[in-house]
Short mmCIF file of all heavy atoms in Angstrom, two decimals:
data_model
loop_
_atom_site.label_atom_id
_atom_site.label_comp_id
_atom_site.label_asym_id
_atom_site.label_seq_id
_atom_site.Cartn_x
_atom_site.Cartn_y
_atom_site.Cartn_z
N LYS Y 1 0.83 -1.22 0.00
CA LYS Y 1 0.00 0.00 0.00
C LYS Y 1 0.86 1.27 0.00
O LYS Y 1 0.65 2.20 0.79
CB LYS Y 1 -0.95 0.02 1.19
CG LYS Y 1 -1.98 -1.11 1.18
CD LYS Y 1 -2.92 -0.97 2.35
CE LYS Y 1 -4.07 -1.96 2.28
NZ LYS Y 1 -3.69 -3.35 2.43
N THR Y 2 1.86 1.26 -0.87
CA THR Y 2 2.73 2.43 -1.02
C THR Y 2 3.03 2.63 -2.50
O THR Y 2 2.60 1.83 -3.34
CB THR Y 2 4.04 2.27 -0.21
OG1 THR Y 2 4.77 3.49 -0.23
CG2 THR Y 2 4.92 1.16 -0.78
N SER Y 3 3.77 3.66 -2.84
CA SER Y 3 4.10 3.92 -4.24
C SER Y 3 5.44 3.26 -4.60
O SER Y 3 6.27 3.03 -3.71
CB SER Y 3 4.22 5.43 -4.47
OG SER Y 3 5.33 5.96 -3.77
N PRO Y 4 5.66 2.95 -5.86
CA PRO Y 4 6.95 2.39 -6.30
C PRO Y 4 8.13 3.31 -5.93
O PRO Y 4 9.20 2.82 -5.58
CB PRO Y 4 6.78 2.28 -7.82
CG PRO Y 4 5.32 2.12 -8.03
CD PRO Y 4 4.68 2.98 -6.98
N THR Y 5 7.91 4.63 -5.98
CA THR Y 5 8.97 5.58 -5.62
C THR Y 5 9.36 5.44 -4.15
O THR Y 5 10.55 5.41 -3.80
CB THR Y 5 8.53 7.02 -5.91
OG1 THR Y 5 8.15 7.15 -7.27
CG2 THR Y 5 9.66 8.00 -5.59
N SER Y 6 8.37 5.34 -3.27
CA SER Y 6 8.63 5.19 -1.84
C SER Y 6 9.32 3.87 -1.54
O SER Y 6 10.23 3.79 -0.71
CB SER Y 6 7.32 5.26 -1.05
OG SER Y 6 6.72 6.54 -1.19
N LEU Y 7 8.90 2.81 -2.24
CA LEU Y 7 9.50 1.50 -2.04
C LEU Y 7 10.96 1.50 -2.49
O LEU Y 7 11.84 0.94 -1.81
CB LEU Y 7 8.70 0.44 -2.81
CG LEU Y 7 9.22 -1.00 -2.70
CD1 LEU Y 7 9.33 -1.44 -1.25
CD2 LEU Y 7 8.31 -1.95 -3.49
N THR Y 8 11.23 2.14 -3.62
CA THR Y 8 12.61 2.26 -4.11
C THR Y 8 13.48 3.00 -3.10
O THR Y 8 14.63 2.62 -2.85
CB THR Y 8 12.64 2.99 -5.47
OG1 THR Y 8 11.85 2.26 -6.42
CG2 THR Y 8 14.06 3.11 -5.99
N HIS Y 9 12.92 4.04 -2.51
CA HIS Y 9 13.64 4.83 -1.50
C HIS Y 9 13.99 3.96 -0.29
O HIS Y 9 15.11 4.02 0.23
CB HIS Y 9 12.78 6.02 -1.06
CG HIS Y 9 13.39 6.83 0.04
ND1 HIS Y 9 14.42 7.71 -0.17
CD2 HIS Y 9 13.12 6.86 1.38
CE1 HIS Y 9 14.76 8.26 0.99
NE2 HIS Y 9 13.99 7.76 1.94
N VAL Y 10 13.04 3.15 0.17
CA VAL Y 10 13.27 2.28 1.32
C VAL Y 10 14.36 1.25 1.00
O VAL Y 10 15.25 0.99 1.83
CB VAL Y 10 11.97 1.56 1.73
CG1 VAL Y 10 12.25 0.45 2.74
CG2 VAL Y 10 10.99 2.55 2.31
N LEU Y 11 14.28 0.66 -0.17
CA LEU Y 11 15.28 -0.33 -0.57
C LEU Y 11 16.68 0.28 -0.62
O LEU Y 11 17.66 -0.33 -0.19
CB LEU Y 11 14.92 -0.92 -1.94
CG LEU Y 11 13.69 -1.83 -1.97
CD1 LEU Y 11 13.26 -2.11 -3.40
CD2 LEU Y 11 13.98 -3.14 -1.23
N LYS Y 12 16.75 1.51 -1.10
CA LYS Y 12 18.06 2.17 -1.24
C LYS Y 12 18.60 2.64 0.10
O LYS Y 12 19.77 2.42 0.42
CB LYS Y 12 17.92 3.37 -2.19
CG LYS Y 12 19.23 4.12 -2.40
CD LYS Y 12 19.02 5.32 -3.32
CE LYS Y 12 20.31 6.11 -3.47
NZ LYS Y 12 20.12 7.31 -4.33
N GLU Y 13 17.74 3.29 0.93
CA GLU Y 13 18.21 3.90 2.18
C GLU Y 13 18.35 2.89 3.32
O GLU Y 13 19.27 3.00 4.12
CB GLU Y 13 17.24 5.02 2.60
CG GLU Y 13 17.18 6.18 1.63
CD GLU Y 13 18.53 6.85 1.45
OE1 GLU Y 13 19.24 7.03 2.46
OE2 GLU Y 13 18.89 7.17 0.30
N HIS Y 14 17.45 1.93 3.40
CA HIS Y 14 17.48 1.00 4.54
C HIS Y 14 18.22 -0.30 4.21
O HIS Y 14 19.04 -0.76 5.01
CB HIS Y 14 16.06 0.67 4.99
CG HIS Y 14 16.01 -0.12 6.26
ND1 HIS Y 14 16.11 0.47 7.50
CD2 HIS Y 14 15.91 -1.46 6.48
CE1 HIS Y 14 16.06 -0.48 8.43
NE2 HIS Y 14 15.93 -1.65 7.85
N PHE Y 15 17.94 -0.89 3.05
CA PHE Y 15 18.54 -2.18 2.72
C PHE Y 15 19.79 -2.06 1.84
O PHE Y 15 20.48 -3.05 1.64
CB PHE Y 15 17.50 -3.06 2.01
CG PHE Y 15 16.33 -3.44 2.89
CD1 PHE Y 15 15.13 -2.77 2.79
CD2 PHE Y 15 16.46 -4.46 3.82
CE1 PHE Y 15 14.05 -3.11 3.60
CE2 PHE Y 15 15.38 -4.82 4.63
CZ PHE Y 15 14.17 -4.14 4.52
N LYS Y 16 20.04 -0.85 1.32
CA LYS Y 16 21.21 -0.60 0.46
C LYS Y 16 21.21 -1.55 -0.75
O LYS Y 16 22.23 -2.07 -1.17
CB LYS Y 16 22.52 -0.77 1.24
CG LYS Y 16 22.57 -0.02 2.55
CD LYS Y 16 22.42 1.47 2.37
CE LYS Y 16 22.36 2.20 3.71
NZ LYS Y 16 22.07 3.64 3.56
N ARG Y 17 20.02 -1.78 -1.29
CA ARG Y 17 19.85 -2.70 -2.42
C ARG Y 17 18.93 -2.10 -3.46
O ARG Y 17 18.03 -1.32 -3.15
CB ARG Y 17 19.23 -4.02 -1.94
CG ARG Y 17 20.10 -4.87 -1.03
CD ARG Y 17 21.03 -5.70 -1.86
NE ARG Y 17 21.58 -6.82 -1.15
CZ ARG Y 17 22.23 -7.81 -1.73
NH1 ARG Y 17 22.36 -7.84 -3.03
NH2 ARG Y 17 22.76 -8.78 -1.03
N SER Y 18 19.13 -2.54 -4.72
CA SER Y 18 18.15 -2.22 -5.76
C SER Y 18 17.01 -3.22 -5.62
O SER Y 18 17.14 -4.23 -4.90
CB SER Y 18 18.79 -2.34 -7.15
OG SER Y 18 19.10 -3.69 -7.43
N TYR Y 19 15.91 -2.96 -6.33
CA TYR Y 19 14.77 -3.86 -6.23
C TYR Y 19 15.14 -5.28 -6.64
O TYR Y 19 14.86 -6.25 -5.93
CB TYR Y 19 13.62 -3.35 -7.11
CG TYR Y 19 12.56 -4.39 -7.36
CD1 TYR Y 19 11.66 -4.75 -6.36
CD2 TYR Y 19 12.49 -5.05 -8.60
CE1 TYR Y 19 10.70 -5.73 -6.58
CE2 TYR Y 19 11.54 -6.03 -8.82
CZ TYR Y 19 10.64 -6.37 -7.81
OH TYR Y 19 9.71 -7.34 -8.03
N TYR Y 20 15.81 -5.43 -7.80
CA TYR Y 20 16.14 -6.76 -8.31
C TYR Y 20 17.13 -7.48 -7.41
O TYR Y 20 17.01 -8.69 -7.18
CB TYR Y 20 16.67 -6.66 -9.75
CG TYR Y 20 15.59 -6.31 -10.74
CD1 TYR Y 20 15.51 -5.04 -11.31
CD2 TYR Y 20 14.61 -7.24 -11.08
CE1 TYR Y 20 14.49 -4.71 -12.20
CE2 TYR Y 20 13.59 -6.94 -11.98
CZ TYR Y 20 13.54 -5.66 -12.53
OH TYR Y 20 12.53 -5.33 -13.41
N ASP Y 21 18.12 -6.76 -6.88
CA ASP Y 21 19.09 -7.39 -5.98
C ASP Y 21 18.41 -7.86 -4.69
O ASP Y 21 18.73 -8.92 -4.15
CB ASP Y 21 20.21 -6.41 -5.63
CG ASP Y 21 21.20 -6.24 -6.78
OD1 ASP Y 21 21.21 -7.10 -7.67
OD2 ASP Y 21 21.96 -5.25 -6.77
N PHE Y 22 17.47 -7.06 -4.20
CA PHE Y 22 16.75 -7.41 -2.97
C PHE Y 22 15.92 -8.68 -3.15
O PHE Y 22 15.96 -9.59 -2.32
CB PHE Y 22 15.85 -6.24 -2.56
CG PHE Y 22 15.03 -6.50 -1.33
CD1 PHE Y 22 15.58 -6.38 -0.07
CD2 PHE Y 22 13.68 -6.85 -1.44
CE1 PHE Y 22 14.81 -6.61 1.08
CE2 PHE Y 22 12.91 -7.10 -0.31
CZ PHE Y 22 13.48 -6.98 0.95
N ILE Y 23 15.15 -8.73 -4.25
CA ILE Y 23 14.30 -9.90 -4.51
C ILE Y 23 15.15 -11.14 -4.78
O ILE Y 23 14.88 -12.23 -4.24
CB ILE Y 23 13.36 -9.62 -5.72
CG1 ILE Y 23 12.39 -8.49 -5.39
CG2 ILE Y 23 12.60 -10.90 -6.09
CD1 ILE Y 23 11.50 -8.75 -4.19
N ASN Y 24 16.19 -10.98 -5.59
CA ASN Y 24 17.06 -12.12 -5.90
C ASN Y 24 17.78 -12.64 -4.67
O ASN Y 24 18.02 -13.85 -4.54
CB ASN Y 24 18.07 -11.74 -6.98
CG ASN Y 24 17.44 -11.64 -8.35
OD1 ASN Y 24 16.34 -12.17 -8.58
ND2 ASN Y 24 18.10 -10.96 -9.28
N GLU Y 25 18.14 -11.73 -3.75
CA GLU Y 25 18.78 -12.16 -2.51
C GLU Y 25 17.87 -13.12 -1.74
O GLU Y 25 18.32 -14.18 -1.26
CB GLU Y 25 19.11 -10.95 -1.64
CG GLU Y 25 19.71 -11.32 -0.28
CD GLU Y 25 19.84 -10.12 0.65
OE1 GLU Y 25 19.21 -9.08 0.38
OE2 GLU Y 25 20.54 -10.25 1.66
N HIS Y 26 16.59 -12.77 -1.63
CA HIS Y 26 15.64 -13.63 -0.91
C HIS Y 26 15.39 -14.94 -1.65
O HIS Y 26 15.21 -16.00 -1.03
CB HIS Y 26 14.32 -12.88 -0.67
CG HIS Y 26 14.39 -11.90 0.45
ND1 HIS Y 26 14.96 -10.65 0.31
CD2 HIS Y 26 14.00 -12.00 1.75
CE1 HIS Y 26 14.90 -10.01 1.48
NE2 HIS Y 26 14.31 -10.80 2.35
N ARG Y 27 15.37 -14.87 -2.97
CA ARG Y 27 15.21 -16.10 -3.75
C ARG Y 27 16.39 -17.04 -3.55
O ARG Y 27 16.21 -18.26 -3.36
CB ARG Y 27 15.05 -15.76 -5.23
CG ARG Y 27 13.69 -15.14 -5.57
CD ARG Y 27 13.65 -14.61 -6.99
NE ARG Y 27 12.29 -14.15 -7.33
CZ ARG Y 27 12.00 -13.45 -8.42
NH1 ARG Y 27 12.97 -13.08 -9.28
NH2 ARG Y 27 10.75 -13.10 -8.66
N ILE Y 28 17.60 -16.48 -3.55
CA ILE Y 28 18.81 -17.30 -3.37
C ILE Y 28 18.84 -17.90 -1.97
O ILE Y 28 19.19 -19.08 -1.80
CB ILE Y 28 20.08 -16.46 -3.63
CG1 ILE Y 28 20.13 -15.98 -5.08
CG2 ILE Y 28 21.33 -17.26 -3.28
CD1 ILE Y 28 20.10 -17.10 -6.12
N LEU Y 29 18.47 -17.13 -0.96
CA LEU Y 29 18.44 -17.65 0.41
C LEU Y 29 17.43 -18.80 0.53
O LEU Y 29 17.67 -19.78 1.24
CB LEU Y 29 18.08 -16.53 1.39
CG LEU Y 29 19.14 -15.46 1.62
CD1 LEU Y 29 18.58 -14.33 2.50
CD2 LEU Y 29 20.38 -16.06 2.27
N ASP Y 30 16.31 -18.67 -0.18
CA ASP Y 30 15.30 -19.72 -0.18
C ASP Y 30 15.84 -20.99 -0.83
O ASP Y 30 15.64 -22.10 -0.34
CB ASP Y 30 14.06 -19.22 -0.93
CG ASP Y 30 12.88 -20.16 -0.79
OD1 ASP Y 30 12.59 -20.58 0.34
OD2 ASP Y 30 12.25 -20.48 -1.81
N ILE Y 31 16.56 -20.79 -1.93
CA ILE Y 31 17.15 -21.93 -2.65
C ILE Y 31 18.23 -22.60 -1.80
O ILE Y 31 18.31 -23.83 -1.72
CB ILE Y 31 17.74 -21.46 -4.00
CG1 ILE Y 31 16.59 -21.08 -4.95
CG2 ILE Y 31 18.62 -22.54 -4.63
CD1 ILE Y 31 17.05 -20.35 -6.19
N ILE Y 32 19.07 -21.80 -1.15
CA ILE Y 32 20.13 -22.34 -0.29
C ILE Y 32 19.52 -23.17 0.85
O ILE Y 32 20.04 -24.24 1.20
CB ILE Y 32 21.00 -21.20 0.28
CG1 ILE Y 32 21.89 -20.64 -0.83
CG2 ILE Y 32 21.86 -21.67 1.46
CD1 ILE Y 32 22.68 -19.41 -0.43
N ASP Y 33 18.42 -22.68 1.40
CA ASP Y 33 17.74 -23.41 2.46
C ASP Y 33 17.28 -24.79 1.97
O ASP Y 33 17.42 -25.79 2.69
CB ASP Y 33 16.53 -22.60 2.95
CG ASP Y 33 15.81 -23.26 4.11
OD1 ASP Y 33 16.47 -23.55 5.13
OD2 ASP Y 33 14.60 -23.51 3.98
N ARG Y 34 16.79 -24.85 0.74
CA ARG Y 34 16.34 -26.12 0.17
C ARG Y 34 17.53 -27.03 -0.13
O ARG Y 34 17.44 -28.25 0.05
CB ARG Y 34 15.50 -25.87 -1.07
CG ARG Y 34 14.18 -25.14 -0.77
CD ARG Y 34 13.31 -25.02 -1.99
NE ARG Y 34 12.82 -26.32 -2.47
CZ ARG Y 34 11.98 -26.48 -3.48
NH1 ARG Y 34 11.48 -25.41 -4.10
NH2 ARG Y 34 11.60 -27.68 -3.86
N PHE Y 35 18.64 -26.43 -0.59
CA PHE Y 35 19.85 -27.21 -0.84
C PHE Y 35 20.35 -27.86 0.45
O PHE Y 35 20.75 -29.03 0.48
CB PHE Y 35 20.96 -26.32 -1.40
CG PHE Y 35 20.79 -25.98 -2.87
CD1 PHE Y 35 21.58 -24.99 -3.46
CD2 PHE Y 35 19.87 -26.65 -3.65
CE1 PHE Y 35 21.44 -24.67 -4.80
CE2 PHE Y 35 19.72 -26.34 -5.01
CZ PHE Y 35 20.51 -25.34 -5.58
#
């Protein structure tokens, strides 16, 4: 329930990640858990 601009700001300022890097990080962690 926010705007793409606000979400991009949060990813950059808090997580120090781009959108794609953030999502891929969680996907990789999920895969590692299954491995």
Side-chain angles (χ1 to χ4, degrees):
K1 296 183 172 67
T2 188
S3 67
T5 303
S6 297
L7 180 56
T8 301
H9 176 76
V10 169
L11 290 168
K12 181 181 177 182
E13 297 300 319
H14 188 83
F15 295 100
K16 310 300 175 186
R17 293 276 198 168
S18 68
Y19 164 74
Y20 289 106
D21 284 343
F22 178 80
I23 296 301
N24 286 342
E25 177 189 15
H26 282 79
R27 287 171 174 169
I28 296 302
L29 289 173
D30 189 47
I31 290 169
I32 287 174
D33 183 56
R34 295 185 66 176
F35 283 168

